[in-house]
């Protein structure tokens, strides 16, 4: 969940806690990035919007999709908030799942806590990891704590009432200077580990909460089990939070690629962003859409048009972890309502199932696509249009070519001798020997992924 100001074409995160984060120009070497659990190195993340996933909108109905998602290569399921939704000042008919009424019970819209525990167990048995959305910064207006512990909330000096979170009238701010609040929040998170055996948390608006709280929470909770910590923040802006979070969002990249496509820019503008991400700690999570983007800023096809699939290939092959949103495998071309029931329009055929299966399986099985395998940009005869790169692990290699333009690229040449030997196109199965033939022809917006 985020609040965005639109100013002169720029997307700007705004925080109602301007005092909480250290400046973003801290030296990278001062960061103490904590290693992720081993399984994170080759995982991918599939965001589950339970409300809109099926007509029933329940855990039990979603469970029927697990075999299909397993076949597609999905490894980690991220569930949007599963807690009850506050009714006071709610938006729309159903309200926002990010306006919690209780941190340790289930939204009855989705089923029961026993249903969720059974879903997690089934998912684990099928080989998935499960993380849940955690909304620490704020609650809804009638969260149980507003009655039981009103002193745990920040107050608006003008109204002497609870402080509304920045621009969002349905949620109110918690006070993380309060030690009792911190303890209760950590206990609530612990509940889902001990009761439902979740494998980690996706921290909503992580940078709106003091980083030292997240340090405290991680220290306490990892006494139970090693967890995966995904933070909704951009490490380019808040690198100090990567002391806690294993992975974080690449918002700058996501916005820049939209600008790149819509303004017909050259690959050079993308290169500059990628170089910046190399300088900050932590695993980068790459994506083209999610619940916020789809509902508020448009589908991936509204934003990226013909470039959408090539950018999805990038997300699955550049160094980091790919995130896929519910319905991308259709593909979903409609904006889903956020506060109302608006089920994904599943069809008998999942047009992009095979596309994502190829990418996700390669990402999870190939050592060169592990998060600890470096990426090297490959110079070509047409770097203004083509993003080319290689990933290596020992003698295992993956080469990716993305024509990020509406112009066909004929007789593309590599300008160094880095690429040698026989490779297989992972989509077509066709073989190519780059030792004897380094030239490649590409159609507009074409993507090529080769495995040595």
């Amino acid at each position: 969940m985020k609040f965005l100001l639109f100013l002169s074409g720029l997307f700007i995160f705004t925080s109602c806690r301007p005092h909480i984060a250290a400046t973003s120009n801290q030296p990278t070497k001062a960061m103490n990035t904590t290693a992720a659990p081993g399984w994170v190195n080759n995982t991918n993340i599939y965001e589950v919007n339970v409300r809109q996933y099926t007509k029933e909108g329940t855990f039990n109905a979603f469970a029927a999709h697990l075999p299909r998602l397993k076949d597609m290569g999905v490894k980690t399921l991220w569930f949007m908030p599963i807690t009850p939704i506050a009714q006071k000042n709610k938006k729309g008919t159903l309200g926002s799942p990010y306006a919690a009424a209780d941190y340790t019970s289930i939204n009855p819209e989705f089923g029961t806590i026993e249903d969720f525990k059974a879903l997690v167990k089934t998912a684990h048995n099928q080989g998935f990891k499960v993380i849940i959305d955690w909304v620490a910064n704020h609650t809804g207006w009638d969260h149980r704590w507003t009655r039981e512990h009103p002193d745990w909330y920040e107050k608006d000096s003008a109204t002497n009432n609870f402080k509304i979170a920045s621009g969002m009238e349905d949620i109110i701010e918690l006070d993380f200077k309060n030690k009792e609040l911190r303890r209760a929040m950590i206990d609530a998170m612990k509940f889902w580990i001990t009761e439902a055996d979740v494998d980690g948390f996706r921290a909503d608006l992580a940078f709106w909460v003091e980083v030292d709280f997240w340090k405290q929470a991680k220290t306490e909770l990892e006494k139970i089990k090693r967890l995966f910590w995904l933070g909704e923040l951009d490490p380019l802006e808040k690198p100090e939070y990567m002391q806690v979070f294993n992975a974080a969002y690449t918002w700058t990249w996501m916005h820049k690629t939209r600008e790149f496509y819509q303004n017909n820019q050259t690959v050079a503008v993308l290169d500059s962003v990628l170089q910046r991400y190399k300088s900050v700690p932590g695993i980068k999570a790459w994506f083209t859409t999610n619940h916020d983007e789809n509902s508020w800023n448009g589908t991936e096809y509204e934003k990226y048009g013909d470039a959408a699939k090539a950018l999805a290939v990038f997300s699955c092959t550049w160094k980091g972890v790919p995130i896929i949103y519910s319905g991308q495998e259709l593909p979903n071309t409609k904006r889903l309502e956020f506060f109302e029931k608006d089920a994904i329009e599943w069809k008998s055929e999942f047009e992009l199932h095979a596309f994502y299966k190829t990418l996700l399986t390669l990402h999870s099985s190939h050592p060169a696509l592990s998060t600890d395998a470096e990426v090297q940009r490959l110079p070509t005869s047409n770097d203004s249009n083509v993003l080319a790169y290689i990933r290596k692990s020992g003698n295992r290699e993956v080469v990716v070519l993305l024509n990020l333009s509406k112009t066909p690229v004929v007789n593309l040449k590599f300008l160094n001798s880095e690429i040698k030997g026989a490779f297989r196109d992972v989509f077509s199965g066709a073989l190519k020997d780059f030792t004897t033939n380094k030239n490649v022809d590409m159609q507009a917006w074409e993507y090529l992924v080769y495995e040595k």
Side-chain angles (χ1 to χ4, degrees):
M1 183 175 179
K2 63 181 182 289
F3 176 61
L4 295 172
L5 291 179
F6 294 85
L7 181 61
S8 301
L10 296 176
F11 298 80
I12 304 172
F13 275 111
T14 64
S15 171
C16 46
R17 291 178 186 271
H19 61 285
I20 65 177
T23 56
S24 61
N25 59 356
Q26 295 181 6
T28 300
K29 64 182 180 182
M31 303 305 155
N32 179 25
T33 304
T34 303
W39 56 265
V40 173
N41 288 338
N42 288 89
T43 200
N44 55 66
I45 302 166
Y46 185 93
E47 180 185 5
V48 181
N49 185 338
V50 178
R51 171 181 288 171
Q52 313 300 19
Y53 211 88
T54 62
K55 291 181 179 180
E56 299 87 347
T58 63
F59 296 131
N60 291 338
F62 169 75
H65 288 259
L66 289 177
R68 174 180 65 80
L69 295 176
K70 180 179 180 180
D71 180 73
M72 196 169 79
V74 171
K75 293 296 182 182
T76 298
L77 301 169
W78 151 32
F79 288 90
M80 289 172 64
I82 58 176
T83 50
I85 295 172
Q87 297 301 296
K88 182 179 179 181
N89 297 333
K90 73 177 179 182
K91 293 187 176 182
T93 303
L94 299 177
S96 169
Y98 292 87
D102 183 1
Y103 281 117
T104 55
S105 57
I106 288 287
N107 181 353
E109 180 185 341
F110 301 156
T112 67
I113 192 166
E114 294 305 321
D115 292 337
F116 181 69
K117 289 162 72 172
L119 175 59
V120 174
K121 185 176 182 180
T122 300
H124 281 164
N125 288 341
Q126 293 189 29
F128 296 98
K129 299 294 184 181
V130 176
I131 66 173
I132 59 173
D133 225 319
W134 197 257
V135 191
N137 177 72
H138 49 261
T139 74
W141 279 86
D142 52 0
H143 189 285
R144 56 182 292 186
W145 288 350
T146 60
R147 302 181 300 276
E148 298 168 2
H149 303 283
D151 57 314
W152 289 359
Y153 289 81
E154 292 194 358
K155 297 299 191 295
D156 186 327
S157 58
T159 64
N160 202 33
N161 203 342
F162 298 121
K163 184 177 180 179
I164 298 175
S166 186
M168 296 179 278
E169 297 80 7
D170 60 333
I171 53 177
I172 50 179
E173 298 251 11
L174 289 161
D175 180 7
F176 279 85
K177 295 186 293 294
N178 188 302
K179 292 182 179 179
E180 291 183 359
L181 175 275
R182 287 177 173 236
R183 182 71 262 164
M185 184 67 71
I186 293 170
D187 286 344
M189 298 175 79
K190 185 182 296 183
F191 173 86
W192 294 102
I193 302 170
T194 58
E195 292 296 315
D197 196 24
V198 300
D199 302 295
F201 298 94
R202 179 267 187 186
D204 179 69
L205 285 170
F207 66 100
W208 278 19
V209 178
E210 287 84 340
V211 68
D212 63 286
F213 164 74
W214 293 117
K215 290 181 181 178
Q216 179 185 354
K218 185 171 187 177
T219 298
E220 287 296 313
L221 296 175
E222 294 212 338
K223 292 176 183 177
I224 305 170
K225 66 186 291 189
R226 287 285 301 283
L227 301 168
F228 176 39
W229 297 80
L230 171 64
E232 189 193 17
L233 60 99
D234 192 320
L236 290 178
E237 301 299 327
K238 303 294 179 183
E240 64 275 16
Y241 279 75
M242 303 315 290
Q243 298 172 75
V244 176
F245 292 98
N246 306 128
Y249 283 59
T250 50
W251 287 110
T252 302
W253 168 261
M254 192 272 296
H255 295 312
K256 180 59 69 175
T257 49
R258 178 179 184 174
E259 177 187 318
F260 162 86
Y261 175 77
Q262 296 184 356
N263 296 336
N264 296 311
Q265 296 176 335
T266 66
V267 168
V269 302
L270 302 181
D271 267 330
S272 64
V273 176
L274 294 175
Q275 286 301 316
R276 291 177 63 198
Y277 275 115
K278 282 187 176 182
S279 69
V280 293
I283 299 169
K284 315 310 182 293
W286 308 97
F287 62 103
T288 56
T289 190
N290 60 21
H291 61 278
D292 278 319
E293 285 299 307
N294 172 272
S295 293
W296 309 120
N297 297 325
T299 70
E300 57 189 320
Y301 298 97
E302 289 180 73
K303 296 193 304 177
Y304 304 121
D306 295 328
K309 288 180 70 177
L311 291 172
V313 171
F314 171 89
S315 295
C316 293
T317 55
W318 194 262
K319 184 178 181 181
V321 172
I323 301 179
I324 298 170
Y325 182 45
S326 299
Q328 281 193 260
E329 64 269 40
L330 268 175
N332 176 42
T333 57
K334 78 167 184 176
R335 300 189 185 193
L336 300 174
E337 292 288 341
F338 204 82
F339 308 119
E340 311 291 343
K341 181 65 179 174
D342 185 20
I344 296 170
E345 296 172 355
W346 298 109
K347 304 169 187 175
S348 57
E349 181 180 354
F350 300 88
E351 183 179 331
L352 297 185
H353 179 96
F355 169 77
Y356 279 111
K357 179 176 182 176
T358 297
L359 290 170
L360 297 182
T361 302
L362 185 71
H363 183 273
S364 62
S365 63
H366 203 292
L369 297 188
S370 172
T371 59
D372 56 7
E374 293 301 323
V375 60
Q376 178 184 342
R377 184 80 158 84
L378 295 172
T380 73
S381 57
N382 195 337
D383 283 350
S384 62
N385 290 333
V386 176
L387 179 63
Y389 50 95
I390 186 171
R391 305 281 305 279
K392 294 183 178 182
S393 177
N395 63 355
R396 303 292 300 280
E397 299 178 10
V398 171
V399 171
V400 181
L401 303 176
L402 306 175
N403 179 10
L404 298 179
S405 76
K406 58 185 177 182
T407 303
V409 174
V410 179
N411 203 25
L412 179 77
K413 297 180 178 66
F414 293 106
L415 300 185
N416 63 19
S417 58
E418 189 70 30
I419 310 301
K420 298 177 181 178
F423 285 74
R424 181 184 67 90
D425 183 319
V426 302
F427 290 104
S428 70
L431 297 180
K432 182 175 180 62
D433 190 340
F434 280 104
T435 303
T436 58
N437 181 11
K438 293 185 180 297
N439 297 348
V440 179
D441 293 337
M442 301 187 73
Q443 299 301 311
W445 307 111
E446 187 176 6
Y447 48 86
L448 295 170
V449 181
Y450 292 102
E451 176 186 13
K452 192 167 189 177

